[in-house]
Amino acid sequence: MPLMNETYPIEFILLGFSDRPWLELPLFVILLVTYPMAMMGNITIILVSRLDPRLHSPMYFFLTNLSFLDMCYTTSIVPQMLFNLGTSRKTISYMGCAVQLYVFSIMGSTECVLLALMAFDRYVAICRPLHYSLIMNQCLCILLVSIVWLGGLTYAFLEATLTLQLPLCGIKHLDHLLCEIPVLIKAACGEKEANELILSVVCIFMLAIPLCLILASYASIGCAILKMKSSDGRKKAFGTCSSHLIVVFLFYGPAISMYLQPPSSITRDQPKFMALFYGVVTPTLNPFIYTLRNKDVKGALGRLGRRVISSK
């Protein structure tokens, strides 16, 4: 199936907030500050998790994958946003749009399933502590993460390729900050009900089902925490799980409101604010949420800092 069809434009004009020019400078400054913060925060999580032997556990292996994913996720959209907000030229080539569509979709769908996998890890650790090391062994963790990435790749190539086949009938203006599947479906002409149906069905598997599994896992975890006799154990388990739950709601809330409704019913500004939220805000906040609410990570950061200072 060809990637392009005869109606595709050479480039798209991303309208963004051009109807509200007073918003562009504040957004540019916010992105200019938050993007380096997101990169540095996630790089720090990856380095600490790999360099500190005490963090060589399944939980931090999954967290390392999440940090790498968030770095790719935000990098796929923020540089383009900064270019468009900082200049009068608000364009992206068709091929650039297609690449952004694939990368953004891969990272988003992979994160949906990875967060469910992280919830399963916490469920086994808290509800089946005696069997944890046996169940969550290194081979299984690598296999599960590979399946998660493969699932994200499969979804993205299926959905993004089908979206790029839709006729655009000369349309080159996208009322968005980036190239995203629901917005491209909405902008397309001709018959697109099948694409909307496929998007809804696939998103049930990529969004709704993982979220239900996460909620079921944490319902069991909550019951297990309440039964713990040690107050320190309850506090540590609650701190770890609450960090993950905060990240889950920050990511799934906007994603569900964007993807689990027909693209034709999406309001004009909804995609812009939702994309800023789950593509910029969440990847920036994730490292701080996991760091500030996790004693193990804070302790590892302290040890790493002392090693760096003593080596000078």
Side-chain angles (χ1 to χ4, degrees), residues 238-259:
F238 179 77
T240 303
C241 294
S242 61
S243 298
H244 185 240
L245 271 177
I246 291 170
V247 171
V248 165
F249 288 120
L250 283 175
F251 179 81
Y252 272 93
I256 286 174
S257 70
M258 183 70 181
Y259 283 87

Side-chain angles (χ1 to χ4, degrees), residues 76-96:
S76 70
I77 60 172
V78 172
Q80 178 68 37
M81 286 184 181
L82 285 171
F83 175 79
N84 287 356
L85 291 169
T87 65
S88 58
R89 183 176 170 80
K90 304 183 184 302
T91 59
I92 182 172
S93 68
Y94 181 87
M95 286 306 301

Side-chain angles (χ1 to χ4, degrees), residues 130-274:
L130 298 178
H131 302 95
Y132 180 70
S133 58
L134 181 64
I135 297 172
M136 301 303 292
N137 58 73
Q138 186 178 20
C139 291
L140 181 64
C141 290
I142 293 172
L143 176 63
L144 290 173
V145 166
S146 300
I147 292 172
V148 165
W149 279 96
L150 182 61
L153 284 164
T154 302
Y155 158 77
F157 277 97
L158 169 68
E159 193 61 50
T161 302
L162 288 174
T163 301
L164 289 170
Q165 302 309 307
L166 287 170
L168 295 171
C169 302
I171 295 171
K172 59 185 296 185
H173 292 80
L174 295 179
D175 195 7
H176 200 9
L177 294 162
L178 65 142
C179 293
E180 197 173 1
I181 287 173
V183 175
L184 281 170
I185 291 177
K186 186 175 182 179
C189 59
E191 295 294 328
K192 50 189 176 182
E193 287 77 11
N195 292 75
E196 293 188 348
L197 178 61
I198 292 171
L199 180 63
S200 298
V201 171
V202 172
C203 285
I204 288 173
F205 286 96
M206 301 301 294
L207 277 170
I209 292 178
L211 181 58
C212 290
L213 293 174
I214 290 170
L215 296 177
S217 297
Y218 276 103
S220 300
I221 289 170
C223 294
I225 290 175
L226 292 175
K227 293 177 182 177
M228 288 181 179
K229 295 180 180 180
S230 167
S231 59
D232 289 338
R234 282 198 302 270
K235 188 176 180 181
K236 183 177 181 179
F238 179 77
T240 303
C241 294
S242 61
S243 298
H244 185 240
L245 271 177
I246 291 170
V247 171
V248 165
F249 288 120
L250 283 175
F251 179 81
Y252 272 93
I256 286 174
S257 70
M258 183 70 181
Y259 283 87
L260 284 184
Q261 62 173 314
S264 55
S265 66
I266 294 172
T267 60
R268 182 181 180 186
D269 288 330
Q270 182 182 350
K272 304 170 193 176
F273 289 109
M274 293 299 101

Side-chain angles (χ1 to χ4, degrees), residues 32 57 66 69 78 99 108 112 125 130 160 202 263 270 279 302 304 308:
L32 198 61
S57 66
L66 180 65
L69 194 152
V78 172
V99 170
C112 288
L130 298 178
V202 172
Q270 182 182 350
L304 183 61
V308 171

